[in-house]
Amino acid sequence: MKILIATDAWDPQTNGVVITLKNLGKQLINNKNEVYYITPKMFKTIPCPTYPEIRLSINIWPKINKIIKKIDPEVVHIATEGPIGFFTKKYCNKHNIKFTTSYHTKFPEYIYERIKIKLVENLAYKFLANFHKDAERTLVTTKSIKNELIYKGFIKNKLKVWTRGVDRSIFKKINGRSFDYKPPIYIYVGRVSVEKNLTEFLDLNIDGTKIVIGNGPMLDYLKKKYFNVLFLGKKDQFTIAKYLLESDVFVFPSKTDTFGVVVIEALAMGLPVAAFPVPGPLDIIGGTKIDVLDWDLKKSIKKALKVDKKDCINLAQKYTWKNCAKIFTKQMYINQK
């Protein structure tokens, strides 16, 4: 098939959406599909308020018409609810083209964490439900998120669970510790921002070394407040793999993520995950041999230290980008009918 993926999330962002769409594209191409992307790199952009890594495209219409018409896709997937997603949807509706969408990010909760106004969060969900209602299918990360969205007003029979994967070629084995840090080593990898709830991890009085890898608007503030934490900033994927392999517990304090690709990447390296029993961690490790989820993060970390690394690796085996592409393709074929 000739597949068009429209997304407002792309390089230089490093997040689960970009990782998913890139690995999906590789798998689709391996399966003899033609894959085209519409991304912010094709337009003039401005930084998104409070989230400057996201670039909002501003000169989309009518340029996007020419782009889509030239590609002439058989199927269209709209990955995000930003300007590119909006105008791609507008084009599809105008020309009676069926399309699918996906829900990756709890932006209403992100907004609430910044301004603490519940009404705005509720209005944001109404906007999102309206955005996705015209899609043939809306792909969501987990069953828990699906149930949440039904409660928020999304159309139940259009929501389909779409899993994620791990690029295991990145995580090459490195023998022995080479970092001279006091063990146990507790590590977080991801965006350093208010919605990630990092302070619940950093405030914990636990013996060992805390490491944070990633950039974000709270980085400078947290560096000044937590001088005993190693803030390493943004690192390439191979360096991250080395740190994951040499750590003892991956701490994931977020309560707003829809999945957490980095969680299964940590598990693939044999690293147990300490987290809250919320969507994402709950769907990945809840009820398994390595389930150490607890509303008390310190207790979750203590239990994680006792987890067998082999059990983590075994659990991560079922998460593959091949399966991710298989689910996606199945929904695309349904979309064509």
Side-chain angles (χ1 to χ4, degrees), residues 274-290:
F276 295 107
V278 295
L282 193 60
D283 295 275
I284 297 169
I285 62 180
T288 69
K289 290 178 68 175
I290 63 169

Side-chain angles (χ1 to χ4, degrees), residues 104-145:
H104 298 268
T105 308
K106 288 186 173 184
F107 277 119
E109 281 81 357
Y110 284 21
I111 295 169
Y112 177 77
E113 288 297 328
R114 286 162 172 77
I115 63 176
K116 300 295 183 182
I117 300 175
K118 198 68 178 177
L119 176 62
V120 176
E121 180 183 341
N122 294 336
L123 290 173
Y125 267 115
K126 287 184 178 180
F127 164 80
L128 292 174
N130 183 68
F131 181 92
H132 290 279
K133 70 179 177 61
D134 294 334
E136 296 297 305
R137 297 285 187 275
T138 295
L139 308 181
V140 300
T141 50
T142 66
K143 186 177 180 180
S144 293
I145 293 298

